[in-house]
Amino acid sequence: MKNDRLNKASSRDWVQIRMALLGACVLLIWGGLWYRAFQVQVVRGPELTAMAARQHKAAEFERGMRGEIFDRQGRLLAKSTGIQSVYVRPLELENPEAAVPILAAALEMPAGQVRTLLGRPQNFIWLSRQISDRNARNIINAGLRGVYLAEESARFYPHGHLAGQVLGFVGLDGEGLEGVEKTYDEMLAGRKATFVAQRDASGRRMYLDAQGREEDLRGRNVTLTLDAQIQFFAEEALAVTVKSFNGKTGMALVVHVPSGDILAMANYPFFNPNMPRQNAEQWRNRILLDALEPGSTLKPMLMAAALEERVITNDTIYYCEEGQWRLTGVNIRDVKGRGWLPANKILRYSSNICSAKIGLDLGATKYHDYLQKMGFGERSGLPLLGENPGLLRPPKSWYPVDLAAVSFGQGMSANALQMARAYLVLANRGVMRPLRLIRDPEQDVGNLSVVFREEVAQTVMRMLREVVEEDGTGTQARIPGVIGAGKTGTAQKATASGRYGDRYVASFAGFYPGDNPEYFIYVVVDEPHPQHYGGVVAAPAVRDIGLRSLAYAGKLPEGTVFSAQEGARGQIQSLSVQGTGVARAGLERSLDPSLEDNTAIDFALADALTIGQDMVPNVTGMSVRRAVERLRGFGVLPEVEGGGGIVSRQVPEPGQPWPAHERRLTLWLEVS
């Protein structure tokens, strides 16, 4: 009995000991947990909270869409649309090597290139920027972890090469790199806002605050003075001329005389800003950057200066030496030998010898002063970067032969803008009016200045009308029923040795109508051959641009019949315009298939001409570019609303007749 009691007591003692040990362990563990909780939540709480915030919340940036660029009629020339880019976080890829062929197929990239990109020691890698909708769908369907799509902004130029060198282009990150895009980059660029995004462990966005998202981040729009329709006329006529005469390059400038607004600024070869990685030489805005010897197109400025100084009158006669004259050991020649000529016929027949004699009578200092007053030797003031100011040497360095050369447009250089500004002095009754390219924001054009007396400017304008309407060198610029005025130019180009060789620059500067100028048109073709005279090469192009511009504006007289030169094929097509305004007309025009990049809108002659396709086409579901291509044959420049790359809706709807008064179509876009 006693042993049983001892055993029971011993058993109770061990139970108590075990219970005490268990309780101690529980208390110890519990205390440890509380200590750890205190350490995590109190001691290291702020630090760990910040770490969690860095993992799940991040400050992200959003940049507003870039502003749009319009022509003077509100036609869209440049627009930004949403487009997908793909990036990779390599640390999140489960099997990078297995992902290589999948990504290469989805993005249509070489597998080696994808493998190289994935092998970079970074946690964020751009795999491909601004991919197509099809490639974006391929990435989504692949469903690879660690591969993401990001929406970016892509610049789109709906008319291809139309005014490409003027507009310029932007880089992948949306910064303006050339042209208007660069000059007005700060204004066009969308503003940047910062907001906070919260993401789960898989990187999915869970919450987004409103900071910076309630304000409009879009960049400001820019409106040019260009008229897309006239720009199209200028580009087409220029391309035809350069190709027909085997020229190296060409340029065409159209200015509205009363206002100084530039309506067209065309350069050939063309440049499509949708494909900026093509030959960088095509980016060159030659009208702005190329300063060439103007040749005989400078002679009207000599006449005006001599008349202003009363060195000559309209009837002053000079002996033209029968086409050959030697001055201080240098031979000066005319194309055709002539005897005595009055001043007006000196300009009409473009005599170099008699022009040189007028220049010598005027004197170097006075002539140089007038050239300076007309803006030669200085930039035009247009808000475009890199303008070439040309070359006008100081008069003290002019020997008699230098003065003679400058008198007929050699020995100095000027860009097309300077030539236009000088000619506008004559058309505006002796008053110098600055040129303007930007309509909104309003361009500061400075003050007007008087260069010549009104009667002097009118006298020279009469001489220019004789060049075209009489038996002058510019007869190929005539438009029946419209008075024309202008001046031909054929300048020899200097060789590397400094001597003049057998290469030429052909040019023509013209006004329509010549008695009350509305348009000034200047066309230059570099190194045409075998013909190189301005009256043969450039004058027909000026006529074509002027005629179509007058028809577009409804300013052709009734019953005007004309022929328009078309294409390098040398075909001639006739066009008869009956009346003005919304008069009936016929125009059969086709782009030369050999012209590079025929993606520009095939414009119609707005009010004067009609196109025979009567029903509105269906472009819903198409990409923006494809829709524009579809509409090109209808002569329609669509208005674009919304962001994205796919047409979701159009007005008018498909199948309806085009409105009788004007063809207009609006496209609404959505992200694919």
Side-chain angles (χ1 to χ4, degrees), residues 317-325 332-334 336-342 345-347 349-355 357:
I317 61 172
Y318 282 86
Y319 184 55
C320 297
E321 307 288 345
E322 300 299 335
Q324 295 280 347
W325 188 44
I332 299 176
R333 298 182 177 87
D334 284 343
K336 184 176 181 180
R338 299 182 187 275
W340 292 93
L341 289 177
K345 290 189 177 181
I346 291 173
L347 194 62
Y349 302 138
S350 197
S351 170
N352 291 336
I353 294 172
C354 290
S355 296
K357 290 183 176 183

Side-chain angles (χ1 to χ4, degrees), residues 463-487:
M463 294 180 181
L464 293 176
R465 289 196 290 272
E466 293 177 11
V467 172
V468 176
E469 298 300 330
E470 300 294 336
D471 59 337
T473 58
T475 57
Q476 292 200 45
R478 290 176 183 169
I479 298 176
V482 178
I483 296 175
K487 184 68 190 75

Side-chain angles (χ1 to χ4, degrees), residues 584-616:
R584 296 182 56 190
L587 174 65
E588 296 179 1
R589 193 202 63 78
S590 62
L591 285 171
D592 188 329
S594 66
L595 291 180
E596 51 190 87
D597 183 24
N598 250 346
T599 59
I601 289 294
D602 186 5
F603 289 102
L605 285 178
D607 289 332
L609 306 180
T610 59
I611 298 177
Q613 295 163 285
D614 299 327
M615 308 304 289
V616 177

Side-chain angles (χ1 to χ4, degrees), residues 95-111 114-115 118 144:
N95 189 341
E97 188 58 36
V100 168
I102 299 174
L103 291 172
L107 296 172
E108 301 174 280
M109 292 173 60
V114 175
R115 186 177 288 106
L118 295 183
L144 294 175

Side-chain angles (χ1 to χ4, degrees), residues 493-517:
K493 293 185 68 173
T495 63
S497 65
R499 296 180 176 273
Y500 289 107
D502 58 355
R503 296 177 300 168
Y504 296 85
V505 176
S507 60
F508 188 85
F511 292 103
Y512 297 103
D515 54 346
N516 185 23

